[in-house]
Amino acid sequence: DADVTQTPRNRITKTGKRIMLECSQTKGHDRMYWYRQDPGLGLRLIYYSFDVKDINKGEISDGYSVSRQAQAKFSLSLESAIPNQTALYFCATSDAAGRKETQYFGPGTRLLVL
Amino acid sequence: DQQVKQNSPSLSVQEGRISILNCDYTNSMFDYFLWYKKYPAEGPTFLISISSIKDKNEDGRFTVFLNKSAKHLSLHIVPSQPGDSAVYFCAASSSGSARQLTFGSGTQLTVLP
């Protein structure tokens, strides 16, 4: 079984719709992250959470919100989707115990906003 | 302003030869560097890392070199295999950024049989 899972894997939606992407992990990590990948731009950080009560904005948080429902679950919402939010979205986790962190990624959600 | 740059979008190498992927950074506060590999329809997977107190780290066929004065790191794959064909991302972090990762734009490596 995968350690980091994302649902849905693919989603097509229309401009103005609200959608939620979900992430679950079984690694027992405290830290969780949401990234988006666009061609030629690599991965950019949207939001991150160091524990259930700690939520932080990343580089490109505008137009997004998140919820950390439990240590193992971190969801990303687009309140009113727009076409330039079409991208590949990745959830990641890491363990705060080590001084040097390695992040572990889910398989991604491909989102198309029409 | 990209703090981590991978200037080669693609690289083709013959099977059995060495693959060298390059990465440059501008933020002198970065003290930990990682390489991730990504296959189509999958998430990035951790490959190898290096701390700024070292200049080389080796793991099997993969070696990462760090030149702090030049703010440059490279990933060497020897020998290259067709299964190494993937997109490779360089990433960096610093304690001052709460260990957030800053990624480069990636290099598509194709190993030709």
Side-chain angles (χ1 to χ4, degrees):
Chain A
D1 286 342
D3 294 318
V4 184
T5 57
Q6 293 183 232
T7 55
R9 293 294 313 275
N10 294 279
R11 179 74 183 268
I12 300 173
T13 192
K14 294 182 179 180
T15 297
K17 294 291 187 182
R18 181 182 188 276
I19 66 163
M20 179 183 291
L21 310 182
E22 298 188 5
C23 177
S24 294
Q25 54 115 346
T26 58
K27 297 183 77 66
H29 288 169
D30 290 321
R31 302 186 173 192
M32 297 187 74
Y33 308 80
W34 276 104
Y35 291 89
R36 65 178 277 176
Q37 183 190 0
D38 298 277
L41 292 179
L43 283 78
R44 292 181 293 166
L45 183 64
I46 305 172
Y47 269 96
Y48 62 101
S49 169
F50 283 176
D51 64 42
V52 174
K53 297 182 180 179
D54 179 79
I55 303 289
N56 303 279
K57 292 182 177 181
E59 178 187 355
I60 52 164
S61 59
D62 287 349
Y64 301 95
S65 62
V66 291
S67 174
R68 184 81 184 267
Q69 302 93 323
Q71 186 205 33
K73 296 184 182 297
F74 192 36
S75 59
L76 175 72
S77 294
L78 286 68
E79 298 300 325
S80 179
I82 56 177
N84 76 1
Q85 291 177 312
T86 293
L88 191 51
Y89 290 84
F90 290 104
C91 173
T93 74
S94 69
D95 185 355
R99 179 169 172 267
K100 303 296 187 184
E101 292 187 11
T102 298
Q103 293 184 16
Y104 298 89
F105 286 80
T109 294
R110 188 169 296 277
L111 175 66
L112 174 61
V113 183
L114 301 175
Chain B
D1 182 30
Q2 283 189 293
Q3 297 186 65
V4 178
K5 297 180 182 180
Q6 293 178 256
N7 292 316
S8 297
S10 63
L11 174 68
S12 292
V13 172
Q14 208 67 37
E15 180 179 5
R17 305 295 290 269
I18 184 171
S19 295
I20 300 176
L21 294 93
N22 294 304
C23 178
D24 296 296
Y25 62 95
T26 58
N27 188 341
S28 58
M29 299 302 293
F30 287 147
D31 62 1
Y32 187 55
F33 304 88
L34 309 90
W35 284 95
Y36 282 82
K37 178 170 70 173
K38 183 184 179 304
Y39 293 119
E42 296 183 11
T45 55
F46 170 72
L47 188 58
I48 192 169
S49 64
I50 188 167
S51 167
S52 60
I53 62 174
K54 296 184 177 181
D55 55 18
K56 177 182 175 181
N57 189 26
E58 190 172 354
D59 184 1
R61 296 185 298 113
F62 302 91
T63 303
V64 56
F65 295 92
L66 176 63
N67 182 334
K68 291 187 291 295
S69 61
K71 294 189 176 66
H72 177 82
L73 66 156
S74 61
L75 174 68
H76 292 209
I77 306 173
V78 183
S80 301
Q81 301 173 354
D84 296 328
S85 296
V87 176
Y88 288 79
F89 290 101
C90 167
S93 73
S94 67
S95 59
S97 67
R99 290 289 163 210
Q100 294 177 42
L101 291 182
T102 300
F103 284 84
S105 55
T107 296
Q108 171 70 57
L109 173 66
T110 302
V111 180
L112 304 168

CSV table of all heavy atoms in Angstrom, one decimal, chain B residues 46-73:
chain,number,residue,atom,x,y,z
B,46,PHE,N,12.5,10.5,-3.7
B,46,PHE,CA,13.8,10.9,-3.2
B,46,PHE,C,14.9,10.0,-3.7
B,46,PHE,O,14.8,8.8,-3.7
B,46,PHE,CB,13.8,10.9,-1.6
B,46,PHE,CG,15.2,11.1,-1.0
B,46,PHE,CD1,15.8,12.3,-1.1
B,46,PHE,CD2,15.8,10.0,-0.4
B,46,PHE,CE1,17.0,12.5,-0.5
B,46,PHE,CE2,17.1,10.2,0.1
B,46,PHE,CZ,17.7,11.5,0.1
B,47,LEU,N,16.0,10.6,-4.1
B,47,LEU,CA,17.1,9.9,-4.7
B,47,LEU,C,18.4,9.9,-3.8
B,47,LEU,O,18.9,8.9,-3.4
B,47,LEU,CB,17.4,10.4,-6.1
B,47,LEU,CG,18.4,9.6,-7.0
B,47,LEU,CD1,17.9,8.2,-7.2
B,47,LEU,CD2,18.5,10.4,-8.3
B,48,ILE,N,18.8,11.1,-3.6
B,48,ILE,CA,20.1,11.3,-2.8
B,48,ILE,C,20.1,12.7,-2.3
B,48,ILE,O,19.5,13.6,-2.9
B,48,ILE,CB,21.3,10.9,-3.7
B,48,ILE,CG1,22.6,10.8,-2.9
B,48,ILE,CG2,21.4,12.0,-4.8
B,48,ILE,CD1,23.7,10.2,-3.7
B,49,SER,N,20.8,12.9,-1.2
B,49,SER,CA,21.0,14.2,-0.6
B,49,SER,C,22.4,14.5,-0.2
B,49,SER,O,23.2,13.6,-0.1
B,49,SER,CB,20.0,14.4,0.6
B,49,SER,OG,20.4,13.5,1.6
B,50,ILE,N,22.7,15.8,0.1
B,50,ILE,CA,24.0,16.2,0.6
B,50,ILE,C,23.8,17.4,1.5
B,50,ILE,O,23.1,18.3,1.2
B,50,ILE,CB,25.0,16.4,-0.6
B,50,ILE,CG1,26.4,16.6,0.0
B,50,ILE,CG2,24.5,17.6,-1.4
B,50,ILE,CD1,27.4,16.6,-1.1
B,51,SER,N,24.6,17.3,2.6
B,51,SER,CA,24.6,18.5,3.5
B,51,SER,C,25.7,19.4,3.1
B,51,SER,O,26.7,19.0,2.5
B,51,SER,CB,24.9,18.0,4.9
B,51,SER,OG,25.2,19.0,5.8
B,52,SER,N,25.6,20.7,3.4
B,52,SER,CA,26.6,21.6,3.0
B,52,SER,C,28.0,21.4,3.6
B,52,SER,O,29.0,22.0,3.2
B,52,SER,CB,26.1,23.1,3.3
B,52,SER,OG,25.9,23.2,4.6
B,53,ILE,N,28.1,20.6,4.7
B,53,ILE,CA,29.4,20.3,5.3
B,53,ILE,C,30.2,19.3,4.5
B,53,ILE,O,31.3,19.0,4.8
B,53,ILE,CB,29.2,19.8,6.8
B,53,ILE,CG1,28.4,18.5,6.8
B,53,ILE,CG2,28.5,20.9,7.6
B,53,ILE,CD1,28.4,17.9,8.2
B,54,LYS,N,29.5,18.7,3.5
B,54,LYS,CA,30.2,17.7,2.7
B,54,LYS,C,30.4,18.3,1.2
B,54,LYS,O,29.6,19.2,0.8
B,54,LYS,CB,29.5,16.4,2.6
B,54,LYS,CG,29.4,15.7,4.0
B,54,LYS,CD,28.7,14.4,3.8
B,54,LYS,CE,28.6,13.6,5.1
B,54,LYS,NZ,28.0,12.3,5.0
B,55,ASP,N,31.2,17.7,0.5
B,55,ASP,CA,31.3,18.0,-0.9
B,55,ASP,C,31.0,16.9,-1.9
B,55,ASP,O,30.9,17.0,-3.1
B,55,ASP,CB,32.7,18.6,-1.3
B,55,ASP,CG,33.8,17.7,-0.9
B,55,ASP,OD1,33.6,16.5,-0.7
B,55,ASP,OD2,35.0,18.2,-0.9
B,56,LYS,N,30.7,15.7,-1.3
B,56,LYS,CA,30.4,14.5,-2.1
B,56,LYS,C,29.6,13.6,-1.3
B,56,LYS,O,29.9,13.3,-0.1
B,56,LYS,CB,31.7,13.9,-2.6
B,56,LYS,CG,31.5,12.6,-3.4
B,56,LYS,CD,32.9,12.0,-3.7
B,56,LYS,CE,32.8,10.7,-4.4
B,56,LYS,NZ,34.1,10.1,-4.7
B,57,ASN,N,28.6,12.9,-1.9
B,57,ASN,CA,27.9,11.9,-1.3
B,57,ASN,C,27.6,10.8,-2.4
B,57,ASN,O,27.1,11.2,-3.4
B,57,ASN,CB,26.6,12.4,-0.6
B,57,ASN,CG,25.9,11.3,0.2
B,57,ASN,OD1,26.6,10.4,0.7
B,57,ASN,ND2,24.6,11.4,0.4
B,58,GLU,N,27.8,9.6,-2.0
B,58,GLU,CA,27.7,8.5,-3.0
B,58,GLU,C,26.7,7.5,-2.5
B,58,GLU,O,26.7,7.1,-1.4
B,58,GLU,CB,29.1,7.9,-3.2
B,58,GLU,CG,29.2,6.9,-4.4
B,58,GLU,CD,30.6,6.5,-4.7
B,58,GLU,OE1,31.5,7.1,-4.0
B,58,GLU,OE2,30.8,5.7,-5.5
B,59,ASP,N,25.9,7.0,-3.5
B,59,ASP,CA,25.0,5.9,-3.1
B,59,ASP,C,24.8,5.0,-4.4
B,59,ASP,O,24.0,5.3,-5.3
B,59,ASP,CB,23.6,6.5,-2.7
B,59,ASP,CG,22.6,5.4,-2.3
B,59,ASP,OD1,23.0,4.2,-2.3
B,59,ASP,OD2,21.5,5.7,-2.0
B,60,GLY,N,25.6,3.9,-4.4
B,60,GLY,CA,25.5,3.1,-5.6
B,60,GLY,C,26.0,3.8,-6.8
B,60,GLY,O,27.1,4.3,-6.9
B,61,ARG,N,25.1,3.8,-7.8
B,61,ARG,CA,25.5,4.4,-9.1
B,61,ARG,C,25.3,5.9,-9.1
B,61,ARG,O,25.7,6.6,-10.1
B,61,ARG,CB,24.6,3.8,-10.2
B,61,ARG,CG,24.8,2.3,-10.5
B,61,ARG,CD,23.9,1.9,-11.7
B,61,ARG,NE,22.5,2.0,-11.5
B,61,ARG,CZ,21.8,2.9,-12.2
B,61,ARG,NH1,22.3,3.7,-13.1
B,61,ARG,NH2,20.5,3.0,-11.9
B,62,PHE,N,24.8,6.5,-8.0
B,62,PHE,CA,24.5,7.9,-7.9
B,62,PHE,C,25.5,8.6,-7.0
B,62,PHE,O,25.7,8.2,-5.9
B,62,PHE,CB,23.1,8.1,-7.4
B,62,PHE,CG,22.0,7.4,-8.3
B,62,PHE,CD1,21.6,6.1,-8.0
B,62,PHE,CD2,21.5,8.1,-9.4
B,62,PHE,CE1,20.7,5.5,-8.8
B,62,PHE,CE2,20.5,7.5,-10.2
B,62,PHE,CZ,20.1,6.2,-9.9
B,63,THR,N,26.0,9.7,-7.5
B,63,THR,CA,26.9,10.5,-6.7
B,63,THR,C,26.5,12.0,-6.8
B,63,THR,O,26.3,12.4,-8.0
B,63,THR,CB,28.4,10.4,-7.1
B,63,THR,OG1,28.8,9.0,-7.0
B,63,THR,CG2,29.3,11.2,-6.2
B,64,VAL,N,26.4,12.7,-5.7
B,64,VAL,CA,26.1,14.1,-5.8
B,64,VAL,C,27.4,14.9,-5.3
B,64,VAL,O,28.0,14.5,-4.3
B,64,VAL,CB,24.9,14.5,-5.0
B,64,VAL,CG1,25.0,14.1,-3.5
B,64,VAL,CG2,24.6,16.0,-5.1
B,65,PHE,N,27.7,15.9,-6.1
B,65,PHE,CA,28.9,16.7,-5.8
B,65,PHE,C,28.4,18.1,-5.5
B,65,PHE,O,27.5,18.6,-6.2
B,65,PHE,CB,29.8,16.8,-7.0
B,65,PHE,CG,30.5,15.5,-7.3
B,65,PHE,CD1,29.9,14.6,-8.2
B,65,PHE,CD2,31.7,15.1,-6.7
B,65,PHE,CE1,30.5,13.4,-8.5
B,65,PHE,CE2,32.3,13.9,-7.0
B,65,PHE,CZ,31.7,13.1,-7.9
B,66,LEU,N,28.9,18.8,-4.4
B,66,LEU,CA,28.6,20.1,-4.1
B,66,LEU,C,29.8,21.0,-4.1
B,66,LEU,O,30.8,20.7,-3.4
B,66,LEU,CB,27.9,20.1,-2.7
B,66,LEU,CG,27.6,21.5,-2.1
B,66,LEU,CD1,26.5,22.2,-3.0
B,66,LEU,CD2,27.1,21.3,-0.7
B,67,ASN,N,29.7,22.1,-4.8
B,67,ASN,CA,30.7,23.1,-4.9
B,67,ASN,C,30.1,24.4,-4.3
B,67,ASN,O,29.4,25.2,-5.0
B,67,ASN,CB,31.2,23.4,-6.3
B,67,ASN,CG,32.3,24.4,-6.4
B,67,ASN,OD1,32.5,25.3,-5.5
B,67,ASN,ND2,33.1,24.3,-7.4
B,68,LYS,N,30.4,24.6,-3.0
B,68,LYS,CA,29.7,25.7,-2.3
B,68,LYS,C,30.2,27.1,-2.8
B,68,LYS,O,29.4,28.0,-2.9
B,68,LYS,CB,29.9,25.7,-0.8
B,68,LYS,CG,29.2,24.5,-0.2
B,68,LYS,CD,29.3,24.5,1.4
B,68,LYS,CE,30.7,24.2,1.8
B,68,LYS,NZ,31.1,22.9,1.5
B,69,SER,N,31.4,27.2,-3.1
B,69,SER,CA,32.0,28.5,-3.6
B,69,SER,C,31.3,28.9,-4.9
B,69,SER,O,31.1,30.1,-5.2
B,69,SER,CB,33.5,28.4,-3.7
B,69,SER,OG,33.9,27.5,-4.7
B,70,ALA,N,31.0,27.9,-5.7
B,70,ALA,CA,30.4,28.2,-7.0
B,70,ALA,C,28.9,28.1,-6.9
B,70,ALA,O,28.2,28.4,-7.9
B,70,ALA,CB,30.9,27.2,-8.1
B,71,LYS,N,28.3,27.7,-5.8
B,71,LYS,CA,26.9,27.5,-5.6
B,71,LYS,C,26.4,26.6,-6.7
B,71,LYS,O,25.4,26.9,-7.4
B,71,LYS,CB,26.1,28.8,-5.6
B,71,LYS,CG,26.5,29.7,-4.4
B,71,LYS,CD,25.5,30.9,-4.3
B,71,LYS,CE,25.7,31.7,-3.1
B,71,LYS,NZ,27.0,32.4,-3.1
B,72,HIS,N,27.0,25.4,-6.8
B,72,HIS,CA,26.7,24.5,-7.9
B,72,HIS,C,26.7,23.1,-7.3
B,72,HIS,O,27.6,22.7,-6.5
B,72,HIS,CB,27.7,24.6,-9.0
B,72,HIS,CG,27.6,23.7,-10.1
B,72,HIS,ND1,26.7,23.9,-11.1
B,72,HIS,CD2,28.2,22.5,-10.3
B,72,HIS,CE1,26.7,22.8,-11.9
B,72,HIS,NE2,27.6,22.0,-11.5
B,73,LEU,N,25.7,22.3,-7.7
B,73,LEU,CA,25.8,20.9,-7.4
B,73,LEU,C,25.5,20.1,-8.7
B,73,LEU,O,24.9,20.6,-9.6
B,73,LEU,CB,24.9,20.5,-6.3
B,73,LEU,CG,23.4,20.6,-6.4
B,73,LEU,CD1,22.7,19.6,-5.4
B,73,LEU,CD2,22.9,22.0,-6.0
